[in-house]
Amino acid sequence: MNKHLARLCAAAALITAPLSAREVSLGQVVCNPGAAITIPVSLDEAQGLAVATVGVNYDPELLLLQRVEQGTLKDRFSFDFTVTEEPGYVGLLSVAPGNIAQSGGGTLAKLHFLVRPGSAAMVAPLALADVRLREETMTADLALAEATIPTAGLVRPLDPSADCAERLGEGTLTVAPSTTLRALTLRTGDSLCAADDQTPIVVTYALTAEGTITVLPPERGWAGGSYALLTAPTADLSLAVASAPEGATLSTETDATTGLTTYRLATNTAEGPTVSAGEVDLSEADAQGIRDLLSGVLEAESGITAIVAQGPQEAIELAIDLGLEPEVTREGSTLTAAFALPTLTVTAFEPETGTITVCVTPGKGTLSATTPNVTTLKGILHLRGTNTLGGTWETLPDIELDVSAYQSNPGEITLTAQLGSHTFLKVTAGRVSAEASPTP
């Protein structure tokens, strides 16, 4: 037999052999318009795979893709992770060093979207495309129809006065952090997502739940403090908190005036000195971020029991996200950290390639010795453009970031984007909020 024919026969034998079906699925999310949400791209079983290719189609009129990050399977698909973006589509390529031996599933990626204001009562479908799961030899194509079960997702933006009782689509449902609804119906397997700022999901009129409802950790993980998970008119819900810190306690309190019950999770994960910031609304996650920024000082100086952060909230948040160490002074056991807004200076612009180089200069203090994470930067650096002076500034999507020179040329970040017909451009920094969200 010809050796090439023998190889083809061997490949055909592998391809036609029975394969265990694997499920690739997208999340279903209910939220309010203007919310920042996370859509997981999940794979139920990774064992035996070396390459996973997944495409996701979404409605760019309703959803603005903010950033993409690798999911919980990143330790197994550790050789390469490539993201391809264009309006309405994101492609994911996950590559392992070899065939994965460890059994079990997880998430290939997390897609971070901003739900556009004005999208209430609309449905934003999320469709899977070009799903291919392969082993290292590339002879067994696990993308055969009988071997892959694709489960589509969707996003349902609802006004705070709306009811979420009727189920749309398939799969389980996740309620986004800090969502407010009039009525909500949950089934076994559905989940609530806790908020980093520890504010609850609120249901004002009626909540019906089947079985135990899972509460997922906030985006930045559980920090120290008291998380208000849910406020609802139902006092006997069964909640299971995922990845709850050791020693965390779940409690309820009912408001005698409104009759609403708030479910709280008290955690004890905060380490080191206490952190306060006067009238600034400082979350526990940001308090821990300040401790991390000052870790060198805390290691060098003993006996510090309190940190007082001074400066506007935006300056504190940007310092945490950009890794800008504040100016510090010490009096007794208290460390005072002074924050000021950093300056973004455009140092180079190449219109032909759509490349803009900016330099981050701390308002006070110094740059951290740690280069900021690109995933974090995509959530806070925004490139906006307009065609006329005095015109409406539009956010340009699909920005690519390069921070390779951040330490050698202090604070240097390169942004690349499709500029289109925009004549005037500006680069801004700040966390996305519903109030500051760009309109379609």
Side-chain angles (χ1 to χ4, degrees):
M1 180 181 292
N2 181 285
K3 63 179 182 180
H4 298 295
L5 180 59
R7 289 176 181 173
L8 287 174
C9 290
L14 283 169
I15 291 174
T16 56
L19 299 170
S20 299
R22 303 171 192 259
E23 182 178 10
V24 177
S25 59
L26 301 173
Q28 276 199 65
V29 173
V30 169
C31 62
N32 295 138
I37 63 170
T38 301
I39 300 294
V41 181
S42 301
L43 172 65
D44 69 335
E45 180 56 70
Q47 187 177 42
L49 299 180
V51 180
T53 304
V54 178
V56 179
N57 292 316
Y58 65 91
D59 186 348
E61 296 297 318
L62 299 179
L63 302 175
L64 177 64
L65 183 64
Q66 297 283 292
R67 58 189 173 92
V68 179
E69 63 177 307
Q70 198 166 7
T72 58
L73 293 174
K74 62 183 178 181
D75 291 339
R76 282 180 258 180
F77 289 99
S78 60
F79 183 77
D80 188 28
F81 179 66
T82 302
V83 179
T84 304
E85 297 179 26
E86 59 184 69
Y89 176 83
V90 57
L92 310 169
L93 173 64
S94 304
V95 183
N99 290 341
I100 295 172
Q102 184 179 350
S103 63
T107 55
L108 292 168
K110 294 194 291 184
L111 312 181
H112 298 271
F113 289 100
L114 179 69
V115 182
R116 295 187 185 270
S119 59
M122 300 182 185
V123 175
L126 302 166
L128 286 165
D130 307 321
V131 178
R132 298 188 181 187
L133 308 175
R134 298 178 184 270
E135 66 169 8
E136 186 179 22
T137 62
M138 304 299 283
T139 57
D141 186 351
L142 301 184
L144 296 173
E146 65 269 27
T148 304
I149 303 173
T151 302
L154 58 83
V155 178
R156 294 181 64 190
L158 296 172
D159 277 333
S161 60
D163 295 353
C164 180
E166 181 182 357
R167 184 61 56 99
L168 302 179
E170 54 187 325
T172 57
L173 185 71
T174 298
V175 183
S178 305
T179 298
T180 296
L181 297 167
R182 178 181 178 273
L184 175 65
T185 298
L186 298 174
R187 299 176 182 173
T188 300
D190 291 345
S191 57
L192 311 174
C193 192
D196 281 309
D197 63 2
Q198 305 184 0
T199 56
I201 292 168
V202 178
V203 181
T204 57
Y205 178 69
L207 189 151
T208 304
E210 299 176 359
T212 299
I213 304 302
T214 300
V215 180
L216 302 177
E219 182 64 29
R220 300 179 190 175
W222 299 112
S226 177
Y227 286 84
L229 305 176
L230 172 68
T231 297
T234 308
D236 57 353
L237 292 174
S238 176
L239 301 184
V241 180
S243 305
E246 184 178 353
T249 56
L250 190 63
S251 63
T252 61
E253 55 187 47
T254 301
D255 188 306
T257 303
T258 64
L260 299 178
T261 297
T262 297
Y263 295 75
R264 290 187 177 275
L265 181 73
T267 63
N268 299 298
T269 62
E271 298 179 359
T274 61
V275 180
S276 61
E279 297 181 358
V280 172
D281 183 14
L282 192 66
S283 70
E284 276 298 328
D286 283 340
Q288 187 58 45
I290 292 174
R291 295 186 191 96
D292 294 339
L293 279 179
L294 300 175
S295 58
V297 177
L298 297 177
E299 290 176 3
E301 300 191 27
S302 61
I304 296 175
T305 60
I307 298 172
V308 177
Q310 295 180 343
Q313 182 168 353
E314 185 180 6
I316 296 173
E317 292 175 348
L318 286 175
I320 294 169
D321 296 336
L322 290 170
L324 308 178
E325 297 180 6
E327 286 184 350
V328 296
T329 56
R330 179 174 180 175
E331 184 176 346
S333 61
T334 299
L335 196 69
T336 299
F339 295 86
L341 286 171
T343 301
L344 295 181
T345 305
V346 176
T347 58
F349 176 41
E350 298 178 11
E352 296 80 8
T353 59
T355 300
I356 301 172
T357 302
V358 300
C359 183
V360 178
T361 303
K364 289 185 177 181
T366 60
L367 289 173
S368 170
T370 302
T371 299
N373 183 281
V374 169
T375 299
T376 301
L377 286 180
K378 280 194 173 185
I380 64 171
L381 286 183
H382 316 289
L383 179 59
R384 296 188 168 97
T386 183
N387 295 326
T388 59
L389 284 174
T392 301
W393 291 94
E394 298 178 350
T395 298
L396 304 186
D398 309 323
I399 298 176
E400 295 297 326
L401 297 177
D402 182 359
V403 295
S404 58
Y406 193 83
Q407 298 295 339
S408 57
N409 296 324
E412 183 175 290
I413 303 172
T414 301
L415 302 87
T416 303
Q418 296 292 329
L419 304 182
S421 60
H422 295 96
T423 305
F424 302 96
L425 300 166
K426 66 178 179 179
V427 180
T428 60
R431 294 181 184 175
V432 175
S433 65
E435 294 76 19
S437 302
T439 54

